[in-house]
Amino acid sequence: MTSPPLTARSFMPESLMGGARLGDSEYRAVVGLLTWLGRVRQTDTAHPRVRLWGVPACYALAGIPALVRAAHDSASAFVLMLAVTAGFTVPLLWRRQRPVLVFAALVVLSEVCLALRVDSGSSATQLVALLNLGRFGSPSQLAVGLVYNLLQTFVSIAFFDGLKGSDKQASTPVLVFLAVVAILSMAALGLAGKLVNAYIEALKDHAVRLEVERDQRARLAAAGERARVAREMHDILGHTLAVIVGLAGGAAGLAESKPKRGADTLRIIAESGRGALAELRRLLAVIHDDEPDDTPFAPQPGLSDLGALMERVRAAGPAATLRLKGELTGLPQGLQLAVYRIVQEALTNTLKHAAPDTTVEVTVAADPEAVHVTVEDTGPHLAPGTDEQGKGLVGMRERAALYGGQVTAGPNSRGGWTVRALLLPTSTAPDLMEKHPA
């Protein structure tokens, strides 16, 4: 399962905030504003040179009145003002890549202009440099730049009576207040931009991680489903083939001496094979669930199917007895499936090693707290460790573990093998009842 790629649309306000409250006018206004800001950001990202060259060009235009005044004074004054205007605007082209260097260059140029009493309308670019220092520099660099700008402002107003071209009627406190507000605002905007960009990147990283985790969960779920299907197929094929092998051996001996009984045995073989194919078809339908199928759905086997299971075992040779104790009809279907598969696997192991006189007893007892399953046969005796590492016993233990229980297996006093399982109906395990096409 592959997730769709993350796009800019994935982070639009409608996607992040949802549309459940779009009927609220205030909410609509907020979403509209955020959408507009997002589009502006996307346009700026798509055309970075517009802002890169636009900001220096605007400040260069602001310096035209000072150039006109200098041209009226003298040619040398015009050349000096032209150089000052270029010095304040051209470094802004590198304001993102070298914010500290650009800020330092504008600070030096500003000091020179203050010393020479040169006033250029482009000198406000120092505030732009401070803003970019906040966005792209470190907090300590921003703090140093902010303190320096404030000190420079106080010195320039106190010792040079304000910049040329300012309103002569404005008092010094007003000039100080306006300058401080402008400097603090630019520093705050720069720092806010840095924080907003970091927050947006964190949101994007978080979204990417969620996508990856979702894909991982999907792959784990698919792997778990494949493991479940493999376990079911092992149970079905192992039991059915064991029954078929046992019946086929008996049918071969009856073909000449008792043809009618041999024919009945072959019919049982056919029915067992058809039943196994039907169950396998149900399981394979889980893997190919993307293909439409109009076949009706049927549940997995439960305790009511144990009788048919015992009949197949008896037909294969061993004498099989089934005992049911307690209230079993009210058990969850998933628990019934687990019991059925445990009994089926235990009987499959019995059939694999059955002798002509083998008998097997199956007991399923339920009480309010637990379900006890016992499958005991009379031999032959298995060597210690037989099937301990096989899928059969492992599968039985996994099914019991789903319901907080356990499975033990070992030789018994009758010369055979005993499997005991304990399952807890009150466990919080998931219900295993799954309907598949029959």
Side-chain angles (χ1 to χ4, degrees):
M1 180 179 180
T2 303
S3 300
L6 293 175
T7 62
R9 181 68 183 173
S10 304
F11 302 99
M12 292 299 287
E14 298 92 334
S15 302
L16 294 175
M17 302 176 69
R21 298 171 52 197
L22 287 179
D24 187 349
S25 59
E26 180 181 357
Y27 180 79
R28 247 192 341 266
V30 171
V31 171
L33 177 61
L34 293 177
T35 301
W36 180 79
L37 291 175
R39 289 172 180 170
V40 171
R41 180 182 176 85
Q42 290 177 17
T43 303
D44 179 59
T45 304
H47 306 282
R49 293 187 177 181
V50 174
R51 182 156 60 107
L52 177 64
W53 290 88
V55 172
C58 289
Y59 280 98
L61 292 175
I64 290 180
L67 287 172
V68 172
R69 289 194 300 268
H72 288 302
D73 293 341
S74 64
S76 60
F78 176 78
V79 172
L80 176 61
M81 187 61 66
L82 184 63
V84 169
T85 302
F88 275 119
T89 56
V90 172
L92 293 182
L93 296 175
W94 293 274
R95 63 188 182 276
R96 295 172 64 95
Q97 295 87 349
R98 298 287 187 272
V100 177
L101 182 60
V102 170
F103 180 80
L106 294 183
V107 164
V108 172
L109 182 59
S110 177
E111 294 292 346
V112 173
C113 290
L114 287 175
L116 298 177
R117 295 295 186 101
V118 175
D119 178 24
S120 171
S122 302
S123 59
T125 55
Q126 192 171 347
L127 294 178
V128 178
L130 181 64
L131 184 146
N132 284 274
L133 187 63
R135 288 188 62 190
F136 306 108
S138 65
S140 59
Q141 292 170 343
L142 175 62
V144 172
L146 178 62
V147 171
Y148 187 87
N149 267 3
L150 291 174
L151 292 176
Q152 184 187 56
T153 300
F154 295 146
V155 170
S156 65
I157 293 178
F159 294 97
F160 296 101
D161 299 326
L163 298 176
K164 289 183 179 180
S166 61
D167 187 1
K168 301 301 183 179
Q169 304 300 322
S171 63
T172 300
V174 173
L175 292 176
V176 171
F177 175 76
L178 294 177
V180 170
V181 169
I183 292 172
L184 293 178
S185 298
M186 284 299 179
L189 286 175
L191 185 59
K194 183 183 186 70
L195 295 177
V196 169
N197 288 336
Y199 183 68
I200 292 175
E201 292 301 321
L203 283 179
K204 290 182 178 180
D205 292 341
H206 181 64
V208 171
R209 285 197 301 271
L210 289 179
E211 294 282 338
V212 173
E213 290 175 1
R214 188 185 68 179
D215 290 344
Q216 290 176 344
R217 286 195 297 270
R219 287 192 291 269
L220 289 175
E225 182 64 14
R226 286 194 294 269
R228 188 192 69 81
V229 170
R231 185 171 63 240
E232 294 288 329
M233 292 178 67
H234 170 269
D235 293 344
I236 294 168
L237 289 178
H239 173 76
T240 303
L241 290 178
V243 171
I244 289 175
V245 169
L247 290 174
L254 296 172
E256 296 182 0
S257 60
K258 297 180 180 179
K260 184 177 181 305
R261 188 174 175 185
D264 293 339
T265 303
L266 292 176
R267 279 192 291 272
I268 295 175
I269 292 176
E271 291 175 0
S272 298
R274 280 194 294 270
L277 288 175
E279 291 199 61
L280 289 177
R281 186 169 177 265
R282 285 203 300 266
L283 295 174
L284 294 177
V286 176
I287 302 177
H288 302 287
D289 57 359
D290 55 333
E291 298 179 1
D293 193 350
D294 297 331
T295 310
F297 286 79
Q300 291 277 29
L303 297 181
S304 60
D305 300 291
L306 287 177
L309 179 64
M310 301 301 291
E311 288 295 333
R312 290 196 296 270
V313 173
R314 294 188 192 100
T321 304
L322 173 64
R323 294 186 177 89
L324 302 178
K325 301 178 181 180
E327 183 59 37
L328 300 173
T329 56
L331 295 178
Q333 187 63 33
L335 179 60
Q336 293 190 37
L337 173 62
V339 172
Y340 181 90
R341 293 303 188 199
I342 290 173
V343 172
Q344 184 184 49
E345 180 58 36
L347 292 176
T348 300
N349 292 334
T350 297
L351 290 175
K352 288 179 181 178
H353 308 284
D357 57 347
T358 295
T359 62
V360 58
E361 295 180 359
V362 177
T363 303
V364 180
D367 57 46
E369 297 182 355
V371 176
H372 304 269
V373 180
T374 303
V375 181
E376 185 177 32
D377 62 53
T378 58
H381 178 71
L382 300 179
T386 300
D387 197 38
E388 281 293 328
Q389 303 301 324
K391 288 186 177 180
L393 187 55
V394 172
M396 287 190 285
R397 287 173 174 165
E398 289 178 354
R399 292 182 185 278
L402 284 174
Y403 289 90
Q406 58 184 358
V407 173
T408 59
N412 56 45
S413 59
R414 302 172 62 183
W417 197 258
T418 299
V419 175
R420 289 186 175 86
L422 171 68
L423 299 92
L424 305 177
T426 57
S427 173
T428 57
D431 193 350
L432 295 179
M433 184 186 72
E434 299 178 12
K435 293 185 177 181
H436 307 292

